[in-house]
Amino acid sequence: MLREALSSILKFYDYFKSRTDARVRDYPLMQSPVEMTAILLAYVVFAVSVGPRLMANRKPFGLKSPMIVYNLSMVLLNGYIVYEFMMSGWATTYTWRCDLIDYSSSPQALRMIRASWWFYFSKYIELLDTVFFVLRKKQSQITFLHVFHHSFMPWTWWWGITLTPAGGMGCLHAMINAIVHVIMYFYYGLSAAGPRFQKYLWWKKYMTAIQLMQFVVVSIHISQYYFMEKCDYQVPLWIHLVWIYGVFFFLLFSNFWIQAYVKGKRLPAMAERAKQNGSPGEHIGVVANGKHLENGNAHHHANGKVLLGKVKEI
């Protein structure tokens, strides 16, 4: 019995190794799923247990300067990722329709691999979002959805660029997501810079609109696959998962938009709580990118820690 189990495990491992894209094996955190899984498990433990205990009897850190540097660095990193995605296909040879995965080792194919890896690696840097929450004692914002998104996104992308080689129509959502991150982290950088920059943050409401547009673009683009007479995209499962992701988060953010900006149910209550906390309330209501995030001084909802029926205040 044990011998059969070990044999099955070895067979699966051999199959796994044969399917792994050899072009990414030498990149950091790409040798096996063990390393990245261990990092993400450690992140979860820190976010929900170790971190809050360490901060229990300590005063919250201000972290204004580190947050400014972090946010502006993320603007530059995501800008670079967008540029690399465009130059490796989306602004050069791709048709934006049935674009297949390039399995070759051509310069452009390797550039797409590199751009995809940088997008994947940026998700580990984004774990600092949660670290800032913990150190600033904003534990109420570390919801299940927040932790799930931050850990599940890099975990799934590891499989996406190993078993499903990077490139083709299945990677557009990464470039669009990076574009949104450029805008989003620029907003957070201004927000973290202090009250004198608050007058430049009048466009907070449009962050939610930009996020909704992201999911619309991704969903429409990937939906083409279902209406084409012939599209031999090599890994159809990736197409289905991207479509599900786009539609699911579009519904989440649509719900927020209706509740906050149409019915106006959320913002007054959150503004009142912001006043009680001694913080400016005029920047509440920004939602972006699938996870809650506050890495600025203004109170806002960003990065998508949004639950259906409830948006928590930051």
Side-chain angles (χ1 to χ4, degrees), residues 167-239:
M169 64 187 300
C171 72
L172 176 69
H173 70 285
M175 185 182 73
I176 299 298
N177 186 253
I179 293 173
V180 173
H181 273 72
V182 170
I183 301 170
M184 183 184 67
Y185 281 110
F186 178 70
Y187 178 94
Y188 298 152
L190 290 177
S191 177
R196 60 178 177 168
F197 289 94
Q198 302 307 310
K199 61 183 178 181
Y200 301 113
L201 302 179
W202 54 267
W203 46 283
K204 62 183 176 65
K205 177 178 178 179
Y206 300 102
M207 287 288 290
T208 308
I210 291 170
Q211 189 63 48
L212 286 169
M213 288 173 59
Q214 170 190 207
F215 299 125
V216 169
V217 170
V218 170
S219 299
I220 291 177
H221 172 262
I222 211 70
S223 295
Q224 295 179 95
Y225 177 80
Y226 302 107
F227 300 98
M228 294 176 183
E229 292 185 9
K230 183 179 182 181
C231 182
D232 297 324
Y233 189 78
Q234 294 93 324
V235 191
L237 176 61
W238 193 242
I239 298 291

Side-chain angles (χ1 to χ4, degrees), residues 280-313:
E282 66 268 29
H283 297 290
I284 299 173
V286 176
V287 176
N289 235 32
K291 59 198 176 193
H292 267 323
L293 177 63
E294 180 207 38
N295 46 23
N297 287 334
H299 286 268
H300 49 261
H301 292 284
N303 261 5
K305 286 314 164 273
V306 181
L307 298 177
L308 283 174
K310 182 176 183 180
V311 178
K312 301 191 72 173
E313 181 206 359

Side-chain angles (χ1 to χ4, degrees), residues 83-101:
Y83 176 78
E84 287 299 299
F85 269 126
M86 293 180 69
M87 292 300 100
S88 58
W90 291 106
T92 54
T93 59
Y94 279 21
T95 65
W96 290 63
R97 299 199 73 240
C98 182
D99 295 302
L100 305 181
I101 299 171

Side-chain angles (χ1 to χ4, degrees), residues 17-293:
K17 295 293 287 185
S18 67
R19 286 294 306 272
T20 300
D21 189 347
R23 298 173 298 177
V24 298
R25 287 176 184 168
D26 293 333
Y27 281 85
L29 297 176
M30 299 307 301
Q31 284 68 43
S32 79
V34 176
E35 288 178 320
M36 63 96 176
T37 301
I39 291 173
L40 295 173
L41 286 176
Y43 158 76
V44 171
V45 173
F46 173 81
V48 303
S49 180
V50 175
R53 290 184 181 182
L54 289 174
M55 292 299 298
N57 298 316
R58 292 179 170 84
K59 292 183 179 180
F61 292 90
L63 301 177
K64 177 180 178 179
S65 295
M67 287 192 298
I68 293 175
V69 173
Y70 168 71
N71 285 309
L72 296 184
S73 297
M74 291 303 289
V75 170
L76 295 176
L77 175 58
N78 281 281
Y80 169 75
I81 291 171
V82 172
Y83 176 78
E84 287 299 299
F85 269 126
M86 293 180 69
M87 292 300 100
S88 58
W90 291 106
T92 54
T93 59
Y94 279 21
T95 65
W96 290 63
R97 299 199 73 240
C98 182
D99 295 302
L100 305 181
I101 299 171
D102 185 351
Y103 285 92
S104 74
S105 294
S106 67
Q108 181 165 297
L110 294 179
R111 193 171 188 177
M112 178 63 77
I113 292 290
R114 184 171 64 249
S116 298
W117 180 84
W118 272 112
F119 178 79
Y120 160 75
F121 186 71
S122 72
K123 299 308 168 187
Y124 290 95
I125 301 176
E126 287 178 14
L127 299 183
L128 288 174
D129 295 349
T130 310
V131 174
F132 285 133
F133 272 140
V134 171
L135 296 181
R136 299 181 70 198
K137 301 188 77 168
K138 302 288 185 178
Q139 195 63 28
S140 63
Q141 303 309 317
I142 305 178
T143 63
F144 168 79
L145 187 56
H146 174 95
V147 176
F148 177 79
H149 180 89
H150 275 76
S151 56
F152 191 67
M153 185 70 174
W155 193 83
T156 54
W157 251 84
W158 188 92
W159 300 97
I161 59 177
T162 51
L163 300 185
T164 307
M169 64 187 300
C171 72
L172 176 69
H173 70 285
M175 185 182 73
I176 299 298
N177 186 253
I179 293 173
V180 173
H181 273 72
V182 170
I183 301 170
M184 183 184 67
Y185 281 110
F186 178 70
Y187 178 94
Y188 298 152
L190 290 177
S191 177
R196 60 178 177 168
F197 289 94
Q198 302 307 310
K199 61 183 178 181
Y200 301 113
L201 302 179
W202 54 267
W203 46 283
K204 62 183 176 65
K205 177 178 178 179
Y206 300 102
M207 287 288 290
T208 308
I210 291 170
Q211 189 63 48
L212 286 169
M213 288 173 59
Q214 170 190 207
F215 299 125
V216 169
V217 170
V218 170
S219 299
I220 291 177
H221 172 262
I222 211 70
S223 295
Q224 295 179 95
Y225 177 80
Y226 302 107
F227 300 98
M228 294 176 183
E229 292 185 9
K230 183 179 182 181
C231 182
D232 297 324
Y233 189 78
Q234 294 93 324
V235 191
L237 176 61
W238 193 242
I239 298 291
H240 307 324
L241 292 176
V242 171
W243 185 85
I244 292 172
Y245 178 89
V247 172
F248 176 69
F249 279 101
F250 176 80
L251 294 175
L252 281 178
F253 285 99
S254 294
N255 178 71
F256 172 83
W257 180 277
I258 292 172
Q259 298 301 322
Y261 297 118
V262 177
K263 296 184 178 180
K265 291 183 177 180
R266 304 178 190 277
L267 301 186
M270 290 189 291
E272 180 62 30
R273 288 200 296 273
K275 292 177 183 177
Q276 293 173 1
N277 290 334
S279 303
E282 66 268 29
H283 297 290
I284 299 173
V286 176
V287 176
N289 235 32
K291 59 198 176 193
H292 267 323
L293 177 63

